[in-house]
């Protein structure tokens, strides 16, 4: 993934994440490493190094003892790898373990080892997108109020989701790298879904939509912003769930709840901007949540594999009958996504049959690094005799 231009273009949309990862890399190396790709030795110093070597090395003498190979396929060397190389290596392992299947107006991504469906989306009828134009026209009234958010979220959204837990490039460098791995992979999968779904943008259906920002030159459905935001919130929530538990925080006041509400707001902002239908956010939330859960479960240690239920998006709206088509609502999405296997009648999002997600050794290694950054320090013991 790290060597082709398509992947690089996808990762460019996460410019802020790249900046934070670079800062984290710099912090871990004492400030000498300026970015993920900068060489430690500037080219301008090469000539002086040639001269210095000639002056000190002398005649070559073979070493008396040569170290043996490092252990084959061992995680022990992961911490010594260059950050960008490590990210690419872990992502390549991820991609080797998933597969895509295309059906009639439907596309899915599955775990290759178990055939468990992670996420599946069926493209709605064009008539439903036409009806959703009413929502976009109504949401346009919020453009002046939401403009600062919308403009800021065009290029990156990690800072928006991460602000809930005060994500910091020096304190949480491994967490940011994990996001680079997991959400970077989500972006690649999301683009594949967009290429297959190939849904016209709102301005193509009505000249009165007049979006307030440049419309991206790819499919509206599913929403990429919603996919990425919900994937990030799912991953980060899994990282800090133990903190919510320690403080007995649940629902909207928990860290998980706050990040999920922020993810929903990111998705809705794209409808306010005029570049997405509400149903795009519904599908993106489904895809992002499922992929986020999959990444977290791949990160469990060997022998601790966890089950998950994939999510399937399929609209029950019938063009022959017509009727209402939904605006996106977080409560409705959660009710449907957390329902029983098979979902509920009339639902857009339906949980699928559970399957065991295999462990990824490299992701498990990285997850352990992340967990160390979010460990809750033990309270200091009171001095002997205190309070007596």
């Amino acid at each position: 993934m790290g060597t082709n231009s398509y992947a690089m273009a996808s990762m460019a949309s996460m410019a802020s994440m790249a900046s934070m990862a670079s800062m984290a890399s710099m912090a871990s190396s004492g400030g000498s490493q300026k970015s993920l790709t900068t060489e430690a030795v500037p080219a301008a110093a090469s000539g002086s190094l040639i001269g210095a070597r000639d002056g000190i090395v002398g005649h070559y003498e073979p070493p008396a003892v040569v170290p043996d190979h490092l252990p084959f396929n061992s995680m022990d060397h992961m911490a010594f790898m260059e950050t960008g190389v490590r990210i690419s290596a872990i992502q390549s392992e991820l991609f080797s373990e998933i597969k895509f299947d295309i059906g009639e107006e439907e596309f899915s991504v599955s775990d290759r080892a178990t055939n468990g469906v992670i996420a599946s989306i069926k493209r709605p009828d064009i008539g439903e997108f036409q009806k959703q134009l009413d929502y976009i026209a109504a949401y346009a009234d919020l453009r002046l109020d939401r403009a600062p958010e919308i403009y800021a979220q065009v290029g990156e959204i990690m800072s928006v989701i991460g602000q809930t837990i005060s994500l910091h490039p020096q304190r949480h460098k491994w967490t940011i790298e994990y996001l680079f791995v997991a959400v970077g992979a989500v972006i690649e999968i999301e683009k594949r879904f967009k290429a297959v779904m190939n849904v016209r943008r709102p301005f193509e259906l009505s000249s009165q939509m007049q979006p307030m920002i440049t419309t991206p030159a790819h499919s509206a459905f599913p929403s990429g912003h919603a996919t990425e935001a919900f994937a990030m919130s799912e991953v980060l929530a899994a990282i800090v769930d133990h903190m919510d538990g320690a403080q007995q925080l649940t629902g909207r006041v928990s860290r998980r709840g706050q990040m999920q509400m922020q993810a929903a707001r990111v998705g809705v902002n794209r409808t306010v901007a005029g570049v997405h239908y509400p149903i795009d956010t519904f599908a993106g939330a489904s895809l992002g949540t499922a992929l986020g859960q999959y990444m977290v479960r791949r990160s469990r240690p060997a022998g601790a594999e966890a089950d998950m239920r994939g999510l399937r998006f399929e609209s029950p709206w019938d063009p022959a009958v017509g009727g209402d088509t939904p605006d996106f609502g977080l409560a409705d999405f959660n009710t449907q996504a957390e329902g029983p296997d098979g979902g509920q009648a009339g639902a857009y999002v339906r949980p699928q049959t559970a399957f065991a997600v295999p462990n990824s050794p490299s992701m498990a290694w990285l997850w352990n690094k992340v967990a160390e950054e979010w460990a809750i320090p033990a309270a200091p013991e009171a001095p002997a005799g205190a309070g007596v």
Side-chain angles (χ1 to χ4, degrees):
M1 173 178 172
T3 58
N4 63 73
S5 58
Y6 173 70
M8 292 179 68
S10 297
M11 294 302 289
S13 66
M14 304 169 74
S16 177
M17 187 184 292
S19 175
M20 295 184 77
S22 297
M23 292 172 65
S25 176
M26 181 173 65
S28 68
S29 59
S32 62
Q33 193 79 359
K34 300 303 182 185
S35 74
L36 293 177
T37 57
T38 300
E39 295 293 338
V41 178
S46 180
S48 65
L49 291 176
I50 293 172
R53 178 191 180 280
D54 290 343
I56 66 171
V57 168
H59 179 70
Y60 173 69
E61 297 180 15
V65 178
V66 177
D68 198 358
H69 275 310
L70 294 168
F72 186 74
N73 195 30
S74 168
M75 295 296 105
D76 293 342
H77 71 289
M78 293 288 284
F80 300 98
M81 296 176 70
E82 183 181 342
T83 305
V85 175
R86 183 168 55 238
I87 290 171
S88 293
I90 299 175
Q91 285 182 332
S92 67
E93 180 185 337
L94 264 175
F95 281 117
S96 70
E97 296 298 334
I98 63 171
K99 64 175 183 174
F100 297 96
D101 295 290
I102 189 165
E104 185 176 352
E105 300 284 307
E106 186 168 352
F107 192 60
S108 63
V109 58
S110 304
D111 181 81
R112 187 179 296 277
T114 64
N115 289 320
V117 177
I118 303 165
S120 178
I121 295 179
K122 188 174 180 65
R123 186 170 73 166
D125 185 87
I126 186 63
E128 184 161 11
F129 289 102
Q130 290 174 324
K131 288 189 68 65
Q132 293 240 313
L133 294 177
D134 290 339
Y135 288 120
I136 302 173
Y139 270 118
D141 291 342
L142 294 177
R143 287 183 180 181
L144 286 177
D145 291 338
R146 297 285 186 95
E149 295 178 42
I150 290 169
Y151 293 142
Q153 292 163 10
V154 167
E156 68 89 17
I157 55 176
M158 190 196 73
S159 59
V160 177
I161 308 300
Q163 183 58 30
T164 300
I165 55 176
S166 295
L167 203 60
H168 193 282
Q170 293 184 346
R171 187 176 181 182
H172 305 128
K173 91 177 191 71
W174 291 111
T175 303
I176 292 170
E177 183 171 323
Y178 186 92
L179 285 175
F180 233 116
V181 170
V183 182
V186 167
I187 288 175
E188 297 302 302
I189 296 169
E190 156 210 318
K191 300 303 185 192
R192 183 77 182 273
F193 270 82
K194 281 179 171 288
V196 173
M197 292 293 125
N198 201 23
V199 170
R200 297 181 187 276
R201 292 280 178 168
F203 83 91
E204 296 180 85
L205 300 190
S206 171
S207 62
Q208 290 184 291
M209 295 300 100
Q210 296 192 23
M212 61 176 284
I213 57 176
T214 300
T215 301
H218 51 249
S219 174
F221 180 86
S223 166
H225 273 64
T227 301
E228 294 157 32
F230 274 86
M232 286 184 199
S233 68
E234 189 66 36
V235 166
L236 290 176
I239 291 170
V240 299
D241 271 343
H242 67 291
M243 298 171 69
D244 281 341
Q247 292 185 282
Q248 300 181 26
L249 297 176
T250 60
R252 66 179 304 276
V253 300
S254 67
R255 293 168 180 84
R256 175 179 284 273
Q258 290 284 300
M259 284 189 285
Q260 197 178 46
M261 286 191 292
Q262 193 65 273
R265 189 174 178 96
V266 167
V268 171
N269 279 345
R270 301 295 283 179
T271 299
V272 174
V275 297
H276 275 292
Y277 313 89
I279 201 171
D280 298 344
T281 298
F282 232 122
S286 176
L287 179 61
T289 298
L291 289 173
Q293 291 174 352
Y294 180 74
M295 299 300 171
V296 170
R297 284 158 176 76
R298 288 295 305 272
S299 305
R300 301 302 186 195
E305 289 82 356
D307 288 353
M308 72 166 284
R309 295 184 303 168
L311 294 178
R312 183 172 191 265
F313 178 94
E314 180 181 3
S315 171
W317 189 82
D318 186 347
V321 177
D324 292 335
T325 176
D327 188 6
F328 174 76
L330 181 58
D332 289 339
F333 169 74
N334 282 335
T335 298
Q336 295 177 27
E338 296 169 4
D341 285 351
Q344 309 127 37
Y348 278 72
V349 181
R350 296 173 179 244
Q352 301 300 288
T353 304
F355 67 96
V357 179
N359 146 274
S360 162
S362 60
M363 289 199 74
W365 177 88
L366 186 54
W367 183 269
N368 286 336
K369 292 291 187 181
V370 171
E372 292 173 3
E373 295 179 333
W374 298 95
I376 301 175
E381 295 184 5
V388 177

